[in-house]
Amino acid sequence: MSAKNNKKLILSGVLLIVSIVCYFLYYIPFFVHGNYWWILGHGFGSSFGNNIIIFVFTIIATIVLITYCFMFSKTKLSGIAYCISLGIFALLSGYLCISDIDRPLFILTQPLFLAVIVIMLIVKATRASNKGVFIVGTVFFSAYAATEIVYEMFNLIDWYPLIGNLLSNILFYTYLITRFIAFYNIWLAEGGSISFNKKITTVVKTSFEDNLVSLKQLFDSGTITEQEYNNKKNQILNKL
């Protein structure tokens, strides 16, 4: 892996640490005070059990992905960690689609997030870095981001009387933004980006050109006269 990609993974690891800290702090009131309304506004499940499952598996998946980001060598362990982390995120998205089926807009974000994860896994497994992969991945990342933004805007409007806590919203949206940037950066580092290299034109000298160069060197060194040089040059050119 190149140094540039290593830097991308390090940045992603740092962003994931920030996201998981914000996520944990956001959930503290729910576990300490049982303040269910604190987190309900952001669509995290419809029961205590749902929220526990989401919290635990999100923490585990993020920690595993963080460890992957700081594993710079291409080892089997790093690949396993990558697949385990994204696999957990994929299962979690599927679970949310089933458990929160009564919220269509929220459900829409989960298949898109799942599609993003699948693309990341495919790119990692196949190393398929080309223009098509880049376009498809960018479309799904953009669609996921757009639906997430729309959902959270409606969420703020609907639950404004119950939320009322600026800190909780700052923590939650910081978590969402840093996680999204980290995922996109990991995708780019693992082959989602493409480079548009300029075509390099290679000039291949023919035997005629070599003969002309050699002839010119003989003339410049005084080995042959100008008349001999011109005669021989014309003979070479006539063969073209």
Side-chain angles (χ1 to χ4, degrees):
M1 185 174 289
S2 66
K4 184 178 180 180
N5 286 341
N6 274 340
K7 290 180 180 179
K8 287 182 179 180
L9 289 179
I10 293 173
L11 175 61
S12 296
V14 173
L15 289 172
L16 286 172
I17 291 174
V18 173
S19 73
I20 204 63
V21 170
C22 292
Y23 185 77
F24 183 81
L25 293 176
Y26 175 77
Y27 254 92
I28 286 179
F30 176 69
F31 293 115
V32 175
H33 305 295
N35 191 349
Y36 179 63
W37 297 110
W38 184 291
I39 67 170
L40 182 60
H42 291 300
F44 280 156
S46 56
S47 68
F48 180 83
N50 275 355
N51 284 288
I52 291 294
I53 292 173
I54 294 166
F55 176 81
V56 171
F57 279 94
T58 300
I59 293 290
I60 293 173
T62 306
I63 290 176
V64 174
L65 194 56
I66 289 171
T67 60
Y68 169 78
C69 288
F70 290 103
M71 289 181 180
F72 307 123
S73 59
K74 289 185 177 181
T75 63
K76 290 183 178 180
L77 181 60
S78 66
I80 292 172
Y82 185 87
C83 292
I84 289 176
S85 174
L86 294 189
I88 295 174
F89 277 116
L91 291 174
L92 188 58
S93 292
Y95 175 77
L96 287 172
C97 288
I98 297 173
S99 62
D100 292 296
I101 198 170
D102 57 326
R103 284 179 285 183
L105 189 56
F106 181 65
I107 293 301
L108 182 60
T109 64
Q110 296 309 310
L112 289 172
F113 183 59
L114 181 59
V116 164
I117 294 173
V118 170
I119 290 173
M120 291 176 70
L121 286 170
I122 292 174
V123 170
K124 174 68 174 177
T126 62
R127 311 304 299 176
S129 179
N130 54 58
K131 190 174 182 180
V133 172
F134 177 77
I135 293 174
V136 171
T138 300
V139 168
F140 275 101
F141 266 99
S142 302
Y144 168 66
T147 55
E148 190 71 66
I149 290 171
V150 172
Y151 173 74
E152 293 304 330
M153 289 178 63
F154 278 105
N155 193 45
L156 278 175
I157 295 172
D158 292 341
W159 291 90
Y160 180 76
L162 295 174
I163 295 175
N165 191 305
L166 181 61
L167 178 59
S168 69
N169 286 285
I170 291 174
L171 289 172
F172 181 75
Y173 293 119
T174 301
Y175 155 72
L176 281 183
I177 293 170
T178 53
R179 187 185 73 161
F180 176 82
I181 296 174
F183 268 74
Y184 187 73
N185 217 30
I186 291 172
W187 176 66
L188 293 177
E190 292 299 338
S193 61
I194 56 175
S195 56
F196 301 93
N197 297 322
K198 293 182 179 180
K199 292 184 178 180
I200 300 175
T201 304
T202 303
V203 178
V204 180
K205 289 186 177 181
T206 65
S207 59
F208 294 104
E209 291 172 326
D210 289 336
N211 290 337
L212 288 172
V213 171
S214 300
L215 185 63
K216 185 65 167 61
Q217 290 174 347
L218 290 173
F219 173 68
D220 291 338
S221 64
T223 305
I224 60 176
T225 64
E226 183 177 358
Q227 184 177 359
E228 290 174 330
Y229 168 73
N230 290 330
N231 291 337
K232 191 63 178 176
K233 183 178 71 172
N234 290 331
Q235 290 178 10
I236 295 173
L237 293 175
N238 287 335
K239 292 180 181 180
L240 293 176

